[in-house]
């Protein structure tokens, strides 16, 4: 395992629950960068609110459930399974408008000197959830 992998790898756990049989599927995903959405309706405009948007449960239509053996509506939730030594966050500032043009979200986001991720990680596996924050623009 390289030093880059040791320092920067975040392990995410995606939990997908079938809307019919309630069976839960688990999928692990390695990532060097966590891409956080910038919510346009965010009132506080804080970095922690971007995490709220990232881990918010979302509905997924037409997911093939192996238990039901049919396409069903599901719910997906993402949590952080393993925090790296250095967590890199990318704020998604750009999106396509209805005409396919790139629009930049110029919303300012406040970042505290320390970020407590206790609500977004698997606390059975991670005990230290407080990270120092350094920002680049």
């Amino acid at each position: 395992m390289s030093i880059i992998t040791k320092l920067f790898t975040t392990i995410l756990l995606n939990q997908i629950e079938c809307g019919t049989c309630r069976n839960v599927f688990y999928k692990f995903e390695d990532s060097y960068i966590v891409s956080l959405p910038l919510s346009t309706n965010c009132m506080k405009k804080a970095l922690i609110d971007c995490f709220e948007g990232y881990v918010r449960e979302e509905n997924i239509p037409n997911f093939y459930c192996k238990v039901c053996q049919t396409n069903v509506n599901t719910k997906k939730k993402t949590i952080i399974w393993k925090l790296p030594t250095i967590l890199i966050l990318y704020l998604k500032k750009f999106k396509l408008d209805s005409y396919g043009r790139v629009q930049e979200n110029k919303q300012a986001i406040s970042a505290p000197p320390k970020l407590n991720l206790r609500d977004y990680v698997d606390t059975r596996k991670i005990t230290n959830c407080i990270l120092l924050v350094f920002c680049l623009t």
Side-chain angles (χ1 to χ4, degrees):
M1 182 181 292
S2 75
I3 189 71
I4 299 297
T5 301
K6 287 179 184 177
L7 288 176
F8 295 101
T9 300
T10 303
I11 299 177
L12 304 170
L13 172 61
N14 295 310
Q15 301 172 342
I16 302 171
E17 180 182 341
C18 174
T20 304
C21 70
R22 300 288 182 226
N23 190 48
V24 179
F25 301 91
Y26 299 97
K27 181 179 180 209
F28 289 95
E29 178 182 341
D30 292 351
S31 179
Y32 290 112
I33 298 174
V34 175
S35 297
L36 300 178
L38 281 180
S39 174
T40 54
N41 58 1
C42 174
M43 299 304 285
K44 295 178 186 175
K45 298 180 183 172
L47 185 59
I48 200 71
D49 296 319
C50 297
F51 267 97
E52 283 290 332
Y54 184 74
V55 300
R56 182 177 296 124
E57 191 172 83
E58 62 180 296
N59 293 319
I60 301 175
N62 293 323
F63 175 82
Y64 182 77
C65 176
K66 296 175 186 174
V67 176
C68 297
Q69 296 185 347
T70 185
N71 289 339
V72 295
N73 292 329
T74 61
K75 292 182 180 179
K76 175 186 164 194
K77 182 175 181 172
T78 301
I79 62 170
I80 298 172
W81 183 258
K82 178 190 166 291
L83 280 169
T85 305
I86 301 171
L87 176 63
I88 298 177
L89 303 174
Y90 170 75
L91 299 178
K92 296 180 186 176
K93 293 180 61 172
F94 299 95
K95 65 179 180 177
L96 295 177
D97 66 11
S98 58
Y99 298 106
R101 296 179 299 209
V102 176
Q103 297 291 315
E104 181 181 2
N105 185 338
K106 296 182 181 182
Q107 174 179 325
I109 299 293
S110 65
K114 292 183 180 180
L115 190 61
N116 187 345
L117 299 178
R118 178 168 298 285
D119 295 336
Y120 313 103
V121 300
D122 185 338
T123 53
R124 296 170 296 173
K125 184 152 178 64
I126 301 172
T127 55
N128 182 14
C129 306
I130 299 175
L131 303 175
L132 294 175
V133 176
F134 299 93
C135 298
L136 300 174
T137 57

